[in-house]
Amino acid sequence: MEALALEKKAQRNAELRERLMQLKKERNAIILAHYYQRAEIQEVADYIGDSFGLAQKARETDADVILFCGVHFMGESAKILNPNKTVIIPDERAGCPMADMVNVEGLRKLKAQHPNAKVVAYINTSADVKAETYICCTSSNAKKVIESIDSDEIIWVPDKNLGHYVSQFTDKKMIIWEGYCNTHDQLSVQDVMNLKREHPDALFVAHPECRPEVVALADFVGSTTGILKYCRESSHKKFIIGTEDGTGYMLQQDSPDKTFIFASKYLVCPNMKVNNLKKCVEALEKMSPEIYVPEHVAEAARASLERMLQVSPN
């Protein structure tokens, strides 16, 4: 029965992929997917990347339609950078709890308390928050972004773990918001130590959204793209992975001869995983859900994103 179910699923996915390719051609669409998406989506994407790479690709594309397979703030960023293009997402419920942890009112209050500080917002924020920000960053260029600013005082929102990590590489005063990634933050030292004991020959790689005490255990710390590159180029054959499990698809694509063990079975972003192949097809059929950003918000947010894109990854 299980084999029959798998066969039917494979046949259904093949039909969905065929329909998706037809719609993509009809709409002159590009499919952008984050590394944390389901494998079935990464398989059909025109480009797979982290937040920095996806923002770059969204700005560069000559497609009329962008189907953004990620979470809502990513679709917003694509729309901000491409105001004349149609940006749709597979499921509008794909939000980001971390992005929801910072709001405009709280940020404005903090700015008033620190009038000489410049705001750096992790790209994992809403368009409204980006509009209150001097410059955005991603985990791949955060350190360089901080050093690029002509201010000795930084307001950092919203991820306290990434903020703590970056603060170790600068003498600037950082006022750090108390947000975090629900998925990365739950990874514990005990989780990692248990696996290190089981696999003493494995290297541990971690995303800086993990807690500081977990990051301190890592043989390598970096963005999703950085982790992929490190594992691909390393001569080691076994790795404990401290980031979202969607990266497993590309890790195996890059290095089929290597072993990857995720540091916790809970390293799954439920918001990223609400998207699937069927929803991608429906989104292009209906051209919905479409992302809208009010122009006055988009104009201010665009400046912070454009500044970010001028700073190359670490």
Side-chain angles (χ1 to χ4, degrees):
M1 289 296 291
E2 184 179 347
L4 181 60
L6 289 171
E7 184 180 339
K8 285 186 175 180
K9 182 180 179 182
Q11 182 180 350
R12 178 58 177 154
N13 280 355
E15 292 168 356
L16 288 169
R17 283 194 294 270
E18 184 178 352
R19 176 61 176 151
L20 189 63
M21 293 304 104
Q22 177 188 2
L23 287 165
K24 192 177 77 164
K25 186 175 180 180
E26 290 175 3
R27 307 292 195 202
N28 187 26
I30 187 172
I31 303 173
L32 303 181
H34 194 274
Y35 287 124
Y36 298 169
Q37 291 293 285
R38 296 172 184 267
E40 66 190 48
I41 290 179
Q42 295 191 53
E43 287 170 356
V44 299
D46 296 293
Y47 179 81
I48 308 166
D50 60 9
S51 296
F52 186 87
L54 290 167
Q56 277 187 318
K57 207 68 179 178
R59 186 177 63 169
E60 294 167 0
T61 183
D62 57 1
D64 296 319
V65 177
I66 299 172
L67 174 60
F68 209 115
C69 301
V71 290
H72 197 271
F73 76 79
M74 296 178 178
E76 281 188 337
S77 295
K79 182 63 178 178
I80 290 164
L81 293 167
N82 298 273
N84 298 320
K85 295 185 186 297
T86 301
V87 179
I88 54 177
I89 56 176
D91 193 323
E92 61 189 349
R93 296 173 302 167
C96 175
M98 185 209 299
D100 294 338
M101 290 179 190
V102 56
N103 55 66
V104 170
E105 293 75 19
L107 180 54
R108 285 177 177 169
K109 183 177 179 181
L110 197 57
K111 286 167 71 174
Q113 294 170 353
H114 302 275
N116 296 322
K118 285 191 173 177
V119 180
V120 177
Y122 197 20
I123 197 169
N124 301 43
T125 46
S126 68
D128 290 335
V129 168
K130 287 182 176 72
E132 294 288 327
T133 296
Y134 174 72
I135 187 171
C136 290
C137 75
T138 69
S139 54
S140 64
N141 73 346
K143 289 187 283 186
K144 285 188 177 180
V145 163
I146 293 297
E147 290 308 313
S148 74
I149 299 171
D150 60 347
S151 173
D152 293 328
E153 195 172 7
I154 305 293
I155 294 173
W156 172 276
V157 296
D159 185 7
K160 64 180 180 181
N161 292 332
L162 180 57
H164 176 272
Y165 177 72
V166 173
S167 70
Q168 298 174 84
F169 301 94
T170 182
D171 293 328
K172 296 180 179 183
K173 179 183 178 183
M174 291 185 62
I175 301 117
I176 299 174
W177 195 271
E178 284 292 309
Y180 56 90
C181 168
N182 297 56
T183 299
H184 287 96
D185 189 69
Q186 65 182 323
L187 182 61
S188 70
V189 166
Q190 194 64 52
D191 292 329
V192 177
M193 293 307 297
N194 288 344
L195 281 175
K196 276 179 166 283
R197 279 191 290 270
E198 288 179 38
H199 305 277
D201 54 336
L203 295 179
F204 173 50
V205 296
H207 195 286
E209 287 180 19
C210 294
R211 297 179 187 180
E213 61 268 28
V214 171
V215 169
L217 298 173
D219 298 290
F220 174 80
V221 182
S223 66
T224 310
T225 297
I227 287 172
L228 289 166
K229 182 176 185 290
Y230 179 81
C231 292
R232 181 174 62 247
E233 296 178 355
S234 173
S235 60
H236 265 74
K237 294 296 184 180
K238 186 184 286 189
F239 301 86
I240 298 167
I241 307 297
T243 191
E244 211 273 349
D245 83 337
T247 55
Y249 172 80
M250 192 56 70
L251 285 165
Q252 289 294 345
Q253 292 291 309
D254 284 350
S255 307
D257 60 327
K258 296 180 181 180
T259 300
F260 302 102
I261 305 147
F262 280 85
S264 167
K265 65 180 180 180
Y266 301 112
L267 283 169
V268 180
C269 175
N271 297 278
M272 286 284 189
K273 297 302 194 283
V274 301
N275 298 323
N276 59 37
L277 208 51
K278 183 180 178 182
K279 291 176 183 177
C280 289
V281 170
E282 291 173 348
L284 278 177
E285 284 178 338
K286 301 174 183 177
M287 294 298 287
S288 174
E290 185 174 351
I291 297 288
Y292 295 98
V293 180
E295 182 49 38
H296 71 283
V297 174
E299 185 176 355
R302 191 174 300 122
S304 64
L305 283 169
E306 291 288 358
R307 289 190 185 101
M308 176 194 79
L309 290 170
Q310 298 304 309
V311 183
S312 61
N314 296 323

